[in-house]
Amino acid sequence: MPSPNRTPLVYVVDDDTDVLGSLRFLLETDGFCVRTFRSGEALLNAMTMGGVDCFVIDYKMPGMSGIDLASLLRRRDIDTPIILITGHPDSSIPAKAAVAGIRHVLVKPHVEDSLSSHIWDAINTERPSAS
């Protein structure tokens, strides 16, 4: 959980540059620090894990899917909360997401309506407390 003196850092992964720009604007307006990536590979190549409070990952991307990326992050023992966003609602996605360690699945285009509250919920409830 971020300290009260630090702005939460969110990594957003989506292959659509318009969506990335929109989500960056939304989240920065809501007080988050945001880094964006156009693919799972780009995230993995550029990523330093320190300080990331939440990932927002698109489900369907060329190459590595959001589920594949989440699974890889979990295999690397990264316990940071992940929110999966999708424009392709399918009843099997929540089950696949749960197996990959994802608790939140949001459907585009209405992501903006609740994304920030889902991020705060994930940050405040999913991270192990530092004792």
Side-chain angles (χ1 to χ4, degrees), residues 65-104:
S65 75
I67 297 284
D68 294 338
L69 177 57
S71 295
L72 183 58
L73 292 170
R74 295 301 187 233
R75 283 195 305 271
R76 292 182 179 185
D77 293 325
I78 297 167
D79 65 352
T80 303
I82 298 170
I83 296 172
L84 188 72
I85 58 175
T86 182
H88 307 276
D90 173 331
S91 61
S92 69
I93 292 175
K96 291 176 188 176
V99 169
I102 301 169
R103 293 187 182 168
H104 299 267

Side-chain angles (χ1 to χ4, degrees), residues 37 48 54 56-57 63 66-67 84 87 93 95 99 112 118-120 124:
F37 303 89
T48 57
C54 188
V56 175
I57 301 173
I67 297 284
L84 188 72
I93 292 175
V99 169
E112 291 85 4
H118 275 88
I119 291 171
W120 280 116
N124 291 320

